[in-house]
Amino acid sequence: MELDSLSDRILNGDRRALARGITLVESGRADHRAQATELLTRLTKEGRQALRIGLSGTPGVGKSTFIESFGMMLTGQGLRVAVLAVDPSSTRSGGSILGDKTRMERLSREKNAFIRPSPSQSHLGGVARRTREAIALCEAAGFDVVLIETVGVGQSETVVSELSDLFMLLLAPAGGDELQGVKRGIMEMADMILVNKADGDLKSAATRTCADYSGALRLLRKRPQDPEGFPKAMTVSAVEEHGLAQAWEEMQSLSKWRRENGHWEVNRATQAQYWFEQEVRSALLARLATPQARSEMERLGSQVSTGQLSPSVAAEHMLSALVAG
Amino acid sequence: MELDSLSDRILNGDRRALARGITLVESGRADHRAQATELLTRLTKEGRQALRIGLSGTPGVGKSTFIESFGMMLTGQGLRVAVLAVDPSSTRSGGSILGDKTRMERLSREKNAFIRPSPSQSHLGGVARRTREAIALCEAAGFDVVLIETVGVGQSETVVSELSDLFMLLLAPAGGDELQGVKRGIMEMADMILVNKADGDLKSAATRTCADYSGALRLLRKRPQDPEGFPKAMTVSAVEEHGLAQAWEEMQSLSKWRRENGHWEVNRATQAQYWFEQEVRSALLARLATPQARSEMERLGSQVSTGQLSPSVAAEHMLSALVAG
């Protein structure tokens, strides 16, 4: 397909074209990369913005069910919803976090929804760029909400929070008063904590867990981007579809406040700056990943290990080889 | 001074020449760097090795007093002792960790001792290389023991442990049964924990603290480089000079076991490989630190912040500028 046509169709909200565009930005081929850059440059000129909602939750908290129920509610209000996944582990597990679309059967049949399984990939830097570019394509395609989900393995919460306007932490009810399992650093990223499964036997446990996290959130340092009462914890039931409308109201009121108080633009500018610097660094370090560089690193490294070369001298040789190569 | 003469004098154990050699490896000037590389290449050919003992302890645990007492004991046995410092905070504090040599007045007057205050510096990568090279010079100068001390700010314990054959953690007696303050990651690096101040009023607290840490060490995963009973905790009194001989015996028996069982060589080879890789990475990233690169990063960064350029496209521009520059 010509870029002109692809670009037009994406701007018209065509989901098949959007999917092709995302495949293009995910490609590792140099010619595809050039096309992807050209496509992104054209599309971002339009300046369309979606509400980017990051969602982190470990397996078992009911993330798919939440996204399906929450997404159906939004499409029911006439909003267009895209779902993307950041899954740093998919190389290892060999599969995609979203599997086929059967995990979200109803939502995947909605014409106002777009679900993109995460590609298999090699490292988080690449994941971040591809996801960032996929988000940009979804925004160009006129989606109102982009949900970016992650299972929260390793650094993926940080990646997702640096890609999102709002960051949600989805939790399951805990037994007793255990806050363990959620690291302080993750708590500090959250704009809202949603305790899911507030239904049936788990309802009172969910209420208690929510109260515990409300208390914990109050102990965190106040951030300038938070209005009174945020970050906050709420209970929801994705299965019974309880609390979803309230959660959405809170998200909207938070994002409205941030827009009106200048935090929205500052946050996006800071994120863009962050990704620019990350990308420059990882592109520089990628020069060590070529087959020639790897074999030279190995050759010099073995001389370092046996003491024939000092680490510094070997590093100087390596740098010269990179310049010459 | 000619390199020939400097090199010969260092090999003869001349402390003034050693000090000049270290000043040379600490210099940021390109011509000095070339000379330093040449000097190191000549000296390391000799293959002399010292026992490198890393020592971490926060201010107040009596680190200087310990080093002075321990160092005096070693020189009393006819051993030659060098003391180096890794202090990532000295730029900020403006001063050196070792201050003038008055902190270790007796040891600094010993002819078999060499004390080198830490230079002021800008980042830990540079500190690590300079310290590694200073160690190599001390080894070439025939020192038997090189003590590398750090206050343990940020990542400096990791740096010191990656530079050492043995890593000691010096602690003060704690009130009650508090193990807090020592992070698990630091505990896992330690070959021995020395609870200092086991004298006077603090003697029983030191014994209790030592027992607590002995218990904590037993809970850690067994490492292949540890013989039965290691890592271990002991009490010492630097002021009363108690326990120092026992600590030294344990260090010797541990290092003997590691030599005999092949762990010594493997550890040094692994460390050299680690520093080689670190240095290649930091040298690559240093290309972003030149004045031209900084100003280009700033120019592109502001276009990224305002949304005129996407982070990826700006990164591509930056990389092209680096190649051209």
Side-chain angles (χ1 to χ4, degrees), chain B residues 24-39:
Chain B
L24 189 63
V25 302
E26 284 173 354
S27 169
R29 271 174 49 183
D31 57 333
H32 286 170
R33 183 91 290 262
Q35 287 181 301
T37 301
E38 174 60 24
L39 180 66

Side-chain angles (χ1 to χ4, degrees), chain A:
Chain A
M1 198 187 302
E2 284 300 312
L3 269 188
D4 278 344
S5 153
L6 185 61
S7 162
D8 286 347
R9 284 176 55 197
I10 290 174
L11 289 171
N12 285 331
D14 179 331
R15 290 184 298 174
R16 275 189 54 205
L18 174 59
R20 289 188 67 162
I22 295 179
T23 303
L24 190 63
V25 302
E26 283 172 355
S27 169
R29 271 174 50 182
D31 57 332
H32 287 170
R33 183 91 291 262
Q35 286 181 301
T37 302
E38 174 60 24
L39 179 67
L40 286 161
T41 305
R42 289 186 197 195
L43 293 176
T44 49
K45 273 203 196 101
E46 301 291 320
R48 292 184 184 167
Q49 287 192 343
L51 177 60
R52 305 173 185 170
I53 303 175
L55 183 75
S56 176
T58 47
V61 302
K63 196 147 36 68
S64 313
T65 315
F66 175 83
I67 294 173
E68 168 130 302
S69 297
F70 188 71
M72 288 301 289
M73 180 190 73
L74 296 179
T75 56
Q77 296 179 10
L79 294 168
R80 300 186 67 216
V81 179
V83 181
L84 304 172
V86 169
D87 178 18
S89 67
S90 65
T91 315
R92 274 167 286 160
S93 66
S96 112
I97 190 178
L98 283 164
D100 48 19
K101 293 177 185 175
T102 53
R103 277 212 301 137
M104 300 170 191
E105 215 184 318
R106 285 187 298 149
L107 192 61
S108 66
R109 285 196 307 261
E110 270 294 312
K111 72 170 180 19
N112 280 331
F114 175 81
I115 299 179
R116 178 73 179 191
S118 74
S120 55
Q121 68 271 310
S122 50
H123 70 108
L124 212 52
V127 180
R129 193 188 69 190
R130 279 191 289 260
T131 309
R132 210 174 57 235
E133 294 178 345
I135 293 171
L137 295 179
C138 292
E139 291 189 316
F143 282 85
D144 302 292
V145 173
V146 181
L147 281 168
I148 309 130
E149 68 154 322
T150 183
V151 285
V153 177
Q155 295 293 304
S156 70
E157 279 111 340
T158 308
V159 169
V160 170
S161 93
E162 289 287 349
L163 290 168
S164 308
D165 300 314
L166 304 180
F167 186 67
M168 307 286 129
L169 195 54
L170 195 69
L171 298 174
D177 56 351
E178 14 159 338
L179 289 181
Q180 70 265 40
V182 179
K183 296 194 194 100
R184 189 188 167 89
I186 309 296
M187 288 264 286
E188 286 171 345
M189 289 176 201
D191 293 311
M192 286 170 62
I193 288 178
L194 303 175
V195 183
N196 192 22
K197 304 191 181 180
D199 45 49
D201 289 349
L202 289 172
K203 193 160 187 174
S204 62
T207 307
R208 222 167 35 233
T209 301
C210 181
D212 290 344
Y213 278 101
S214 293
L217 287 173
R218 272 193 296 272
L219 297 177
L220 296 179
R221 199 177 314 156
K222 182 112 178 88
R223 305 176 303 180
Q225 70 271 32
D226 291 326
E228 197 53 41
F230 281 91
K232 71 171 58 181
M234 300 177 67
T235 57
V236 294
S237 163
V239 170
E240 296 188 351
E241 300 179 8
H242 275 162
L244 301 177
Q246 291 90 321
W248 175 232
E249 257 172 47
E250 295 289 354
M251 292 180 208
Q252 285 176 293
S253 105
L254 175 58
S255 76
K256 181 166 178 282
W257 186 88
R258 286 191 180 161
R259 277 184 189 279
E260 289 170 356
N261 290 275
H263 297 291
W264 180 280
E265 284 304 319
V266 167
N267 184 46
R268 287 216 167 180
T270 308
Q271 288 179 343
Q273 180 74 34
Y274 172 86
W275 289 117
F276 166 53
E277 287 169 14
Q278 288 289 317
E279 211 157 307
V280 169
R281 295 167 69 93
S282 64
L284 261 185
L285 294 176
R287 294 185 182 172
L288 299 174
T290 65
Q292 300 97 306
R294 277 171 198 266
S295 90
E296 186 65 5
M297 279 293 280
E298 209 163 299
R299 195 182 66 79
L300 290 165
S302 69
Q303 296 190 334
V304 167
S305 296
T306 57
Q308 291 165 268
L309 278 179
S310 81
S312 313
V313 173
E316 280 165 25
H317 289 334
M318 186 64 212
L319 269 288
S320 311
L322 283 178
V323 171

